[in-house]
Amino acid sequence: SHLEEKTQWEHPKSGKRKRVAGGLPYGWEQETDENGQVYFVDHINKRTTYLDPRLAFTVEDNPVKPTTRQKYDGNTTAMEILQGCDLSGKVVIITGANSGIGFETAKSLALHGAYVILACRNMSRGNDAVQRILMEWHKAKVEAMTLDLASLQSVQHFAEAFKSKNVPLHILICNAAVFGVPWVLTEDELESTFQVNHLGHFHLVQLLEDVLRRSSPARVVVVSSESHRFTEIKDYSGKLDFSLLSPSKKEYWAMLAYNRSKLCNILFSNELNRRLSPHGVTSNSVHPGNMIYSSIHRNWWVYTLLFTLARPFTKSM
C-alpha cells in the first residue's frame, strides 16, 4: 500500500495471510525512512519502493478468521457495517432521508441507538419514513423536520428549530440532491440544481457550525459523486467563474449543472475539514457508488429508462 507506505501480508477481505519465504532478492536492501517506515532499495535498477519484493515468493500461512471490518464489499449493507456499534446518545441530521440512500442511512443509524432527524422537503413522505423505521423498532428515536434546500429561508428556519431543541449534533449528513431537472430559478433567484445540491447544504452547515463545535468530536459527511471529475468551474484564466455555478437558461445543461454542484460539494468539504478539524469536527465527501439503484433519476423519463435498463446490474436498496 503506497498510501500507508507499507506491505500488508493479510488479505483485507478473506483474512488469509502470507509469510515471507527466504531473504531479499539479489541487489535489494531493506532501509527505514525518517518516519520509521520500512522501504526497499533496488541497487541494480537504482529505485526505491515500499513494496516488499518478496511478495513474489510468499507461502500460505495459517488462515485467520476475518474481522467484520474486513468483510466489507459490494454486497455489504448499511446494517452490516454498523453491526456491534452502540450509537446511543448520538444525534444525527440527514437531509433527503425519506427515500433512497438517505433513508437506508437513517434507518441503520436509528436502529443502532442514534437519535436521527430526517430533514425532508415533503413532510408527508418524511413522516411515512419515520413510521417505516418505527415498525422495525418501536423504541427508535427518530423524527422528521421540514427542510427545503431550494429556500434559504427554509434552511434558516430548520436551523433555528433544531437549535431550539437544545441537543448536541454529532453527525450531519448532507445527502439530499436533485438530478436531471429542467432549468428553474429558486425563490432566491438561483439555479435550482446548484442551490439544492450545494448552496443549501453550505448554508445549513454554516448555521449549525457552532453546535457541531460544541458537540465535538463531530463529523460532517457530504454525499458527492464521481461526476465531479467531468466538469470545471474556472474560466480560461484559471479563476473561478461564478456564471458557471448558477447559469442562465441559455447556458444550462442538466448533467453539467449536476457535475458542477458535486465538484462544489468536494471543494466545500475539503475546506470545511481544514477549518474545523482543529476544533474536533471532521468533514468528508463520499461517492455513494455507481451501481446503486435509487430514485434520483425521477425527474426525466430518459434517465428513468436508462436506470431501469441498468437495474438488474445494480445494487438494490
Side-chain angles (χ1 to χ4, degrees):
S1 171
H2 283 271
L3 291 176
E4 298 181 1
E5 298 182 342
K6 66 180 181 180
T7 298
Q8 180 171 316
W9 298 99
E10 184 175 293
H11 193 283
K13 180 180 176 184
S14 68
K16 292 183 178 179
R17 293 185 62 85
K18 298 275 189 175
R19 60 182 174 84
V20 176
L24 289 169
Y26 175 76
W28 285 83
E29 187 176 7
Q30 180 176 310
E31 299 285 351
T32 304
D33 63 18
E34 62 275 10
N35 297 319
Q37 296 284 3
V38 174
Y39 68 96
F40 302 89
V41 181
D42 180 358
H43 292 288
I44 296 177
N45 297 303
K46 308 297 183 183
R47 60 179 180 175
T48 62
T49 178
Y50 288 97
L51 183 68
D52 193 324
R54 292 172 293 181
L55 279 172
F57 311 104
T58 56
V59 294
E60 192 78 22
D61 207 344
N62 292 327
V64 295
K65 185 178 180 180
T67 64
T68 301
R69 184 178 297 277
Q70 293 167 334
K71 293 179 181 177
Y72 298 166
D73 59 18
N75 296 314
T76 306
T77 65
M79 289 295 290
E80 291 171 341
I81 289 175
L82 289 175
Q83 182 179 359
C85 293
D86 181 8
L87 299 179
S88 300
K90 300 296 184 182
V91 180
V92 184
I93 293 176
I94 307 175
T95 66
N98 59 277
S99 64
I101 296 170
F103 174 75
E104 291 299 322
T105 305
K107 180 181 73 172
S108 302
L109 292 170
L111 295 184
H112 283 82
Y115 168 34
V116 182
I117 295 175
L118 284 65
C120 306
R121 178 177 58 87
N122 187 314
M123 277 302 291
S124 175
R125 293 179 180 176
N127 288 327
D128 287 344
V130 168
Q131 291 305 313
R132 285 158 59 193
I133 295 173
L134 291 174
M135 284 177 63
E136 296 207 27
W137 187 35
H138 69 282
K139 292 185 178 180
K141 298 177 182 177
V142 57
E143 70 169 294
M145 291 179 62
T146 304
L147 172 63
D148 183 0
L149 292 165
S151 165
L152 296 180
Q153 185 178 46
S154 175
V155 176
Q156 180 84 34
H157 289 164
F158 173 87
E160 291 172 355
F162 173 77
K163 288 182 176 181
S164 69
K165 294 179 178 292
N166 293 316
V167 296
L169 177 58
H170 302 102
I171 305 173
L172 173 57
I173 302 178
C174 301
N175 164 78
V178 293
F179 172 80
V181 297
W183 183 88
V184 63
L185 292 179
T186 66
E187 63 182 50
D188 302 296
E189 297 297 313
L190 294 163
E191 190 276 313
S192 61
T193 301
F194 170 65
Q195 179 164 341
V196 172
N197 292 6
H198 171 64
L199 194 62
H201 283 130
F202 177 92
H203 191 40
L204 177 64
V205 174
Q206 298 298 305
L207 294 173
L208 297 179
E209 180 181 328
D210 57 337
V211 186
L212 286 164
R213 288 195 186 203
R214 290 197 303 269
S215 309
S216 65
R219 69 179 65 185
V220 177
V221 179
V222 182
V223 180
S224 184
S225 170
E226 284 283 358
S227 298
H228 80 277
R229 300 183 185 278
F230 309 114
T231 189
E232 184 55 86
I233 56 175
K234 296 178 181 178
D235 58 22
Y236 293 108
S237 64
K239 295 182 179 180
L240 178 64
D241 188 344
F242 287 98
S243 66
L244 296 177
L245 300 181
S246 183
S248 64
K249 186 174 183 179
K250 182 180 178 181
E251 302 294 329
Y252 179 77
W253 181 30
M255 190 69 214
L256 199 55
Y258 177 80
N259 294 351
R260 286 169 178 161
S261 70
K262 297 291 102 178
L263 177 57
C264 288
N265 287 163
I266 294 175
L267 296 174
F268 166 56
S269 179
N270 289 351
E271 178 62 15
L272 185 69
N273 187 73
R274 188 186 72 81
R275 295 188 184 195
L276 295 191
S277 56
H279 304 282
V281 181
T282 60
S283 178
N284 289 278
S285 54
V286 58
H287 171 51
N290 290 319
M291 302 302 287
I292 297 180
Y293 185 87
S294 69
S295 59
I296 197 171
H297 56 79
R298 62 187 178 275
N299 294 295
W300 192 28
W301 69 269
V302 174
Y303 290 127
T304 300
L305 176 61
L306 292 174
F307 273 69
T308 301
L309 294 174
R311 186 165 190 176
F313 310 99
T314 62
K315 182 175 182 177
S316 170
M317 287 293 178

